[in-house]
Amino acid sequence: MIALAMFAVFAGSAFAQPASLPFELKQIGPGVYAAVDGPEHKAGSNAGFVIGDDGVLVVDSFFNLDAARALVGEIHRLTPKPIRYVVNTHYHIDHTGGDQVLRDAGAVIIAHRNVRGWVRTENVHLLGSQITPEFRAQIAALPLPDVTTGNDLTVWLGSRKVVIRTVLGHTGGDLTIFVPDAKVLFTGDMLWRKIPPNLIDGSVKEWTATDADFEHMPGAAQTVFVPGHGDVANLKDVEDFRAYLLDLRRLVTDGRKGGFTDDTLAKAVTPKLRALHPDWTISDRAAAAEVGYMADELTGKKRRPVPTAD
Ligand SMILES: [Zn+2]
Protein backbone atom coordinates (compact mmCIF):
# COMPACT_ATOMS: atom_id res chain seq x y z
CA MET A 1 0.00 0.00 0.00
CA ILE A 2 2.75 2.40 1.00
CA ALA A 3 4.69 1.67 -2.16
CA LEU A 4 1.58 2.29 -4.23
CA ALA A 5 0.85 5.57 -2.45
CA MET A 6 4.41 6.72 -2.96
CA PHE A 7 4.20 5.82 -6.62
CA ALA A 8 1.01 7.86 -6.93
CA VAL A 9 2.69 10.89 -5.37
CA PHE A 10 5.69 10.46 -7.65
CA ALA A 11 3.50 10.03 -10.72
CA GLY A 12 1.52 13.13 -9.77
CA SER A 13 4.57 15.32 -9.39
CA ALA A 14 6.17 13.85 -12.50
CA PHE A 15 3.12 14.92 -14.49
CA ALA A 16 3.12 18.52 -13.24
CA GLN A 17 4.03 20.55 -16.31
CA PRO A 18 6.32 23.55 -16.38
CA ALA A 19 4.25 26.66 -17.12
CA SER A 20 6.39 27.56 -20.12
CA LEU A 21 5.66 24.51 -22.30
CA PRO A 22 4.97 25.48 -25.94
CA PHE A 23 2.10 22.95 -26.00
CA GLU A 24 -0.49 21.49 -23.66
CA LEU A 25 0.06 17.84 -22.82
CA LYS A 26 -3.16 15.84 -22.55
CA GLN A 27 -3.43 12.18 -21.58
CA ILE A 28 -6.00 10.66 -23.95
CA GLY A 29 -5.59 6.97 -23.14
CA PRO A 30 -3.42 4.64 -21.05
CA GLY A 31 0.11 5.76 -21.91
CA VAL A 32 -1.13 7.83 -24.85
CA TYR A 33 -0.64 11.60 -24.93
CA ALA A 34 -1.55 14.45 -27.24
CA ALA A 35 0.68 17.54 -27.26
CA VAL A 36 -1.65 20.30 -28.41
CA ASP A 37 -0.22 23.53 -29.79
CA GLY A 38 -1.11 26.55 -27.65
CA PRO A 39 -2.94 29.73 -28.67
CA GLU A 40 0.40 31.45 -29.38
CA HIS A 41 1.33 28.67 -31.86
CA LYS A 42 4.80 28.26 -30.40
CA ALA A 43 4.90 24.57 -31.36
CA GLY A 44 3.40 25.19 -34.84
CA SER A 45 1.32 21.99 -34.86
CA ASN A 46 0.20 19.13 -32.64
CA ALA A 47 2.25 16.06 -31.79
CA GLY A 48 1.85 13.13 -29.42
CA PHE A 49 3.33 9.90 -28.17
CA VAL A 50 2.54 6.32 -27.20
CA ILE A 51 4.31 4.61 -24.32
CA GLY A 52 4.53 0.85 -24.93
CA ASP A 53 6.04 -2.01 -22.91
CA ASP A 54 9.59 -1.40 -24.00
CA GLY A 55 9.73 1.99 -25.61
CA VAL A 56 8.01 5.12 -26.86
CA LEU A 57 6.70 6.01 -30.31
CA VAL A 58 6.33 9.73 -31.03
CA VAL A 59 3.99 11.21 -33.64
CA ASP A 60 5.41 14.31 -35.36
CA SER A 61 8.03 16.71 -34.01
CA PHE A 62 6.58 20.26 -34.24
CA PHE A 63 7.94 23.23 -36.22
CA ASN A 64 11.11 23.88 -34.26
CA LEU A 65 13.85 22.27 -32.21
CA ASP A 66 12.88 23.99 -28.94
CA ALA A 67 9.34 22.60 -29.00
CA ALA A 68 10.71 19.13 -29.81
CA ARG A 69 13.18 19.41 -26.90
CA ALA A 70 10.29 20.28 -24.58
CA LEU A 71 8.41 17.20 -25.85
CA VAL A 72 11.41 14.93 -25.21
CA GLY A 73 11.66 16.47 -21.73
CA GLU A 74 8.03 15.64 -20.98
CA ILE A 75 8.45 12.07 -22.22
CA HIS A 76 11.49 11.59 -19.98
CA ARG A 77 9.50 12.97 -17.03
CA LEU A 78 6.74 10.42 -17.61
CA THR A 79 8.74 7.29 -18.42
CA PRO A 80 12.29 5.93 -18.29
CA LYS A 81 11.60 3.89 -21.45
CA PRO A 82 13.64 4.79 -24.53
CA ILE A 83 12.21 6.87 -27.38
CA ARG A 84 12.43 4.39 -30.24
CA TYR A 85 10.47 5.91 -33.14
CA VAL A 86 9.12 9.16 -34.47
CA VAL A 87 6.49 8.84 -37.19
CA ASN A 88 6.02 11.87 -39.44
CA THR A 89 2.41 12.19 -40.61
CA HIS A 90 3.69 14.15 -43.67
CA TYR A 91 6.63 16.26 -44.83
CA HIS A 92 5.43 19.76 -43.82
CA ILE A 93 8.02 21.49 -41.65
CA ASP A 94 5.52 22.30 -38.90
CA HIS A 95 5.38 18.50 -38.32
CA THR A 96 8.99 17.52 -39.11
CA GLY A 97 10.94 20.58 -37.90
CA GLY A 98 12.07 18.90 -34.66
CA ASP A 99 13.00 15.50 -36.13
CA GLN A 100 16.71 15.96 -35.41
CA VAL A 101 15.97 16.31 -31.68
CA LEU A 102 14.01 13.05 -31.73
CA ARG A 103 16.75 11.31 -33.66
CA ASP A 104 19.36 12.58 -31.19
CA ALA A 105 17.14 11.19 -28.42
CA GLY A 106 17.37 7.75 -30.06
CA ALA A 107 14.41 7.64 -32.43
CA VAL A 108 14.27 6.03 -35.85
CA ILE A 109 12.38 8.37 -38.22
CA ILE A 110 9.49 6.65 -40.02
CA ALA A 111 7.68 8.42 -42.87
CA HIS A 112 5.79 7.90 -46.10
CA ARG A 113 8.23 7.12 -48.91
CA ASN A 114 7.50 10.46 -50.62
CA VAL A 115 8.63 12.43 -47.56
CA ARG A 116 12.28 11.56 -48.22
CA GLY A 117 12.17 13.31 -51.57
CA TRP A 118 10.12 16.29 -50.39
CA VAL A 119 11.22 17.26 -46.90
CA ARG A 120 14.21 19.36 -48.05
CA THR A 121 12.64 20.69 -51.28
CA GLU A 122 8.87 21.09 -51.04
CA ASN A 123 9.11 22.84 -47.66
CA VAL A 124 10.64 25.84 -49.47
CA HIS A 125 7.51 25.99 -51.62
CA LEU A 126 5.30 25.46 -48.56
CA LEU A 127 6.68 28.55 -46.79
CA GLY A 128 6.42 30.63 -49.96
CA SER A 129 6.75 34.35 -49.22
CA GLN A 130 7.42 33.60 -45.53
CA ILE A 131 10.77 32.02 -46.41
CA THR A 132 13.85 33.56 -44.76
CA PRO A 133 17.55 32.59 -44.85
CA GLU A 134 17.02 31.00 -41.41
CA PHE A 135 14.11 28.87 -42.67
CA ARG A 136 16.14 27.86 -45.75
CA ALA A 137 18.95 26.68 -43.48
CA GLN A 138 16.54 24.80 -41.22
CA ILE A 139 14.94 23.06 -44.22
CA ALA A 140 18.33 22.12 -45.72
CA ALA A 141 19.34 20.54 -42.39
CA LEU A 142 16.16 18.49 -41.87
CA PRO A 143 17.08 14.82 -41.41
CA LEU A 144 15.82 12.39 -44.05
CA PRO A 145 13.59 9.57 -42.77
CA ASP A 146 15.32 6.27 -41.91
CA VAL A 147 12.37 3.96 -42.66
CA THR A 148 10.01 4.80 -45.51
CA THR A 149 6.88 3.03 -46.68
CA GLY A 150 4.20 3.25 -49.33
CA ASN A 151 2.14 0.65 -47.50
CA ASP A 152 0.50 0.17 -44.12
CA LEU A 153 2.89 -0.81 -41.36
CA THR A 154 2.55 -2.30 -37.87
CA VAL A 155 4.98 -1.27 -35.14
CA TRP A 156 5.11 -3.34 -31.96
CA LEU A 157 6.12 -1.64 -28.73
CA GLY A 158 6.50 -4.95 -26.91
CA SER A 159 2.92 -6.26 -26.82
CA ARG A 160 1.43 -2.87 -27.73
CA LYS A 161 0.33 -2.60 -31.34
CA VAL A 162 0.54 0.64 -33.31
CA VAL A 163 -0.92 0.66 -36.82
CA ILE A 164 0.46 3.10 -39.37
CA ARG A 165 -1.71 3.60 -42.44
CA THR A 166 -1.11 5.40 -45.73
CA VAL A 167 -3.96 7.77 -46.55
CA LEU A 168 -4.74 10.22 -49.36
CA GLY A 169 -5.61 13.90 -49.38
CA HIS A 170 -3.29 16.36 -47.63
CA THR A 171 0.05 16.08 -49.45
CA GLY A 172 0.32 12.83 -51.41
CA GLY A 173 2.55 11.36 -48.70
CA ASP A 174 0.32 11.07 -45.65
CA LEU A 175 0.25 8.62 -42.75
CA THR A 176 -2.13 8.15 -39.82
CA ILE A 177 -1.18 6.41 -36.58
CA PHE A 178 -3.73 4.25 -34.76
CA VAL A 179 -3.45 2.79 -31.28
CA PRO A 180 -6.15 0.06 -31.24
CA ASP A 181 -6.04 -0.78 -27.50
CA ALA A 182 -6.64 2.90 -26.60
CA LYS A 183 -8.91 3.76 -29.57
CA VAL A 184 -6.76 6.76 -30.46
CA LEU A 185 -6.16 7.91 -34.04
CA PHE A 186 -3.47 10.49 -34.76
CA THR A 187 -4.73 11.93 -38.04
CA GLY A 188 -1.99 14.42 -38.88
CA ASP A 189 -3.42 17.14 -41.11
CA MET A 190 -6.20 14.92 -42.44
CA LEU A 191 -8.19 16.59 -39.65
CA TRP A 192 -8.17 20.19 -38.37
CA ARG A 193 -10.49 21.22 -35.56
CA LYS A 194 -12.40 24.48 -36.14
CA ILE A 195 -9.50 25.97 -38.15
CA PRO A 196 -9.36 26.22 -41.96
CA PRO A 197 -6.92 23.61 -43.31
CA ASN A 198 -3.95 24.42 -45.54
CA LEU A 199 -4.89 23.07 -48.98
CA ILE A 200 -1.60 23.99 -50.67
CA ASP A 201 -0.73 20.37 -51.59
CA GLY A 202 -4.14 18.85 -51.07
CA SER A 203 -6.90 17.18 -53.01
CA VAL A 204 -10.25 17.95 -51.40
CA LYS A 205 -11.71 15.02 -53.34
CA GLU A 206 -9.29 12.54 -51.75
CA TRP A 207 -9.28 14.33 -48.40
CA THR A 208 -13.06 14.14 -47.88
CA ALA A 209 -12.99 10.44 -48.84
CA THR A 210 -10.34 9.78 -46.18
CA ASP A 211 -12.36 11.68 -43.56
CA ALA A 212 -15.42 9.63 -44.52
CA ASP A 213 -13.31 6.52 -43.87
CA PHE A 214 -12.49 7.87 -40.38
CA GLU A 215 -16.21 8.34 -39.72
CA HIS A 216 -16.96 4.77 -40.75
CA MET A 217 -14.10 3.02 -38.96
CA PRO A 218 -15.24 0.48 -36.35
CA GLY A 219 -15.70 2.20 -32.97
CA ALA A 220 -15.50 5.69 -34.49
CA ALA A 221 -17.92 7.12 -31.88
CA GLN A 222 -15.61 5.95 -29.07
CA THR A 223 -12.39 6.99 -30.83
CA VAL A 224 -10.25 9.95 -29.76
CA PHE A 225 -8.95 11.81 -32.83
CA VAL A 226 -5.79 13.88 -32.51
CA PRO A 227 -5.86 16.45 -35.33
CA GLY A 228 -2.80 18.12 -36.84
CA HIS A 229 -4.07 21.49 -35.65
CA GLY A 230 -6.71 22.40 -33.08
CA ASP A 231 -7.79 20.65 -29.90
CA VAL A 232 -8.30 16.92 -29.35
CA ALA A 233 -11.34 15.86 -31.37
CA ASN A 234 -14.19 13.37 -31.56
CA LEU A 235 -16.36 11.89 -34.30
CA LYS A 236 -18.56 15.02 -34.43
CA ASP A 237 -15.46 17.12 -35.14
CA VAL A 238 -14.52 14.81 -38.03
CA GLU A 239 -18.02 15.18 -39.47
CA ASP A 240 -17.85 18.96 -38.98
CA PHE A 241 -14.48 19.16 -40.72
CA ARG A 242 -15.63 17.11 -43.71
CA ALA A 243 -18.79 19.25 -43.94
CA TYR A 244 -16.54 22.34 -44.03
CA LEU A 245 -14.55 20.97 -46.98
CA LEU A 246 -17.74 20.02 -48.82
CA ASP A 247 -19.21 23.49 -48.14
CA LEU A 248 -16.02 25.08 -49.46
CA ARG A 249 -16.21 23.02 -52.66
CA ARG A 250 -19.91 23.79 -53.19
CA LEU A 251 -19.54 27.53 -52.50
CA VAL A 252 -16.52 27.84 -54.82
CA THR A 253 -18.37 25.88 -57.53
CA ASP A 254 -21.42 28.15 -57.20
CA GLY A 255 -19.28 31.30 -57.09
CA ARG A 256 -17.50 30.36 -60.30
CA LYS A 257 -20.86 29.68 -61.97
CA GLY A 258 -21.86 33.20 -60.86
CA GLY A 259 -18.89 34.61 -62.75
CA PHE A 260 -16.64 35.32 -59.76
CA THR A 261 -12.89 34.70 -59.99
CA ASP A 262 -9.81 35.28 -57.82
CA ASP A 263 -10.37 38.14 -55.30
CA THR A 264 -14.07 38.54 -56.03
CA LEU A 265 -14.55 34.78 -55.63
CA ALA A 266 -12.90 34.83 -52.20
CA LYS A 267 -15.01 37.86 -51.18
CA ALA A 268 -18.18 36.07 -52.30
CA VAL A 269 -17.38 32.76 -50.59
CA THR A 270 -15.81 33.80 -47.25
CA PRO A 271 -18.90 35.33 -45.53
CA LYS A 272 -20.99 32.31 -46.51
CA LEU A 273 -18.38 29.93 -45.15
CA ARG A 274 -18.29 31.87 -41.86
CA ALA A 275 -22.09 31.86 -41.62
CA LEU A 276 -22.16 28.08 -42.03
CA HIS A 277 -19.35 27.55 -39.46
CA PRO A 278 -19.77 30.32 -36.85
CA ASP A 279 -17.68 28.50 -34.22
CA TRP A 280 -14.61 28.34 -36.51
CA THR A 281 -11.79 30.87 -36.59
CA ILE A 282 -11.55 31.81 -40.29
CA SER A 283 -9.11 34.59 -41.19
CA ASP A 284 -9.48 36.48 -44.48
CA ARG A 285 -6.00 35.29 -45.49
CA ALA A 286 -6.72 31.59 -44.83
CA ALA A 287 -10.09 31.80 -46.57
CA ALA A 288 -8.65 33.52 -49.66
CA ALA A 289 -5.91 30.89 -49.95
CA GLU A 290 -8.39 28.04 -49.56
CA VAL A 291 -10.76 29.46 -52.15
CA GLY A 292 -7.88 29.83 -54.62
CA TYR A 293 -6.65 26.26 -54.10
CA MET A 294 -10.19 24.90 -54.31
CA ALA A 295 -10.78 26.76 -57.60
CA ASP A 296 -7.48 25.35 -58.93
CA GLU A 297 -8.60 21.82 -58.08
CA LEU A 298 -11.99 22.32 -59.73
CA THR A 299 -10.39 23.70 -62.91
CA GLY A 300 -7.69 21.01 -63.07
CA LYS A 301 -4.90 23.52 -62.41
CA LYS A 302 -3.94 22.35 -58.94
CA ARG A 303 -0.21 21.95 -58.35
CA ARG A 304 0.63 18.95 -56.18
CA PRO A 305 4.06 17.63 -55.14
CA VAL A 306 5.35 14.98 -57.55
CA PRO A 307 6.82 11.77 -56.07
CA THR A 308 10.54 11.35 -56.70
CA ALA A 309 12.43 8.13 -57.30
CA ASP A 310 14.11 6.59 -54.23
ZN1 LIG B 1 0.42 19.97 -43.14
Side-chain angles (χ1 to χ4, degrees):
M1 286 301 278
I2 291 165
L4 266 181
M6 281 178 69
F7 176 75
V9 168
F10 174 74
S13 65
F15 191 66
Q17 299 174 32
S20 59
L21 280 182
F23 49 80
E24 189 182 349
L25 198 61
K26 296 188 172 186
Q27 184 167 10
I28 49 174
V32 187
Y33 294 81
V36 180
D37 193 17
E40 293 168 334
H41 302 295
K42 284 187 188 164
S45 74
N46 296 340
F49 56 91
V50 184
I51 304 173
D53 298 330
D54 60 355
V56 179
L57 178 146
V58 177
V59 178
D60 284 341
S61 65
F62 298 129
F63 203 147
N64 57 72
L65 301 175
D66 282 347
R69 281 187 199 107
L71 185 68
V72 168
E74 289 306 290
I75 295 168
H76 286 159
R77 283 152 58 84
L78 289 165
T79 178
K81 293 171 186 172
I83 299 173
R84 295 179 62 197
Y85 308 100
V86 57
V87 184
N88 291 145
T89 57
H90 59 295
Y91 82 83
H92 287 166
I93 192 168
D94 52 327
H95 299 258
T96 55
D99 275 0
Q100 189 62 51
V101 170
L102 272 303
R103 179 183 270 167
D104 292 345
V108 168
I109 303 170
I110 301 175
H112 189 283
R113 59 178 302 185
N114 291 341
V115 169
R116 217 180 136 86
W118 292 346
V119 74
R120 289 181 182 166
T121 54
E122 288 291 332
N123 271 315
V124 175
H125 178 254
L126 173 73
L127 292 185
S129 61
Q130 297 174 58
I131 198 86
T132 60
E134 291 75 22
F135 278 141
R136 278 190 194 279
Q138 188 193 353
I139 291 167
L142 285 173
L144 300 177
D146 305 298
V147 175
T148 60
T149 184
N151 299 304
D152 297 352
L153 200 64
T154 300
V155 174
W156 292 95
L157 300 169
S159 64
R160 189 160 215 186
K161 188 180 187 181
V162 179
V163 182
I164 299 169
R165 293 202 179 93
T166 60
V167 291
L168 298 175
H170 180 52
T171 62
D174 303 307
L175 300 177
T176 62
I177 294 87
F178 184 54
V179 189
D181 66 25
K183 288 196 167 54
V184 171
L185 181 69
F186 292 92
T187 65
D189 283 359
M190 303 310 308
L191 173 65
W192 300 48
R193 187 174 180 275
K194 300 189 194 299
I195 309 169
N198 186 344
L199 303 184
I200 185 168
D201 296 325
S203 156
V204 168
K205 188 178 182 205
E206 294 175 353
W207 201 325
T208 48
T210 295
D211 287 325
D213 288 345
F214 293 166
E215 291 168 28
H216 297 127
M217 61 189 261
Q222 291 79 42
T223 298
V224 177
F225 296 88
V226 181
H229 301 267
D231 208 346
V232 173
N234 58 26
L235 174 59
K236 257 189 149 33
D237 295 311
V238 179
E239 292 166 349
D240 183 43
F241 178 73
R242 188 162 66 94
Y244 178 90
L245 289 177
L246 294 174
D247 286 338
L248 174 71
R249 182 164 68 191
R250 181 175 46 78
L251 291 170
V252 171
T253 303
D254 291 352
R256 290 189 63 252
K257 277 188 197 147
F260 296 109
T261 56
D262 302 318
D263 285 358
T264 61
L265 182 60
K267 286 204 173 83
V269 167
T270 304
K272 292 177 182 164
L273 209 48
R274 285 195 182 117
L276 288 167
H277 300 274
D279 56 340
W280 282 49
T281 306
I282 305 172
S283 71
D284 285 341
R285 193 165 151 264
E290 280 191 330
V291 168
Y293 291 132
M294 188 72 249
D296 286 349
E297 181 176 334
L298 290 168
T299 54
K301 286 191 268 179
K302 187 76 193 340
R303 177 204 183 272
R304 301 198 71 196
V306 178
T308 57
D310 282 344

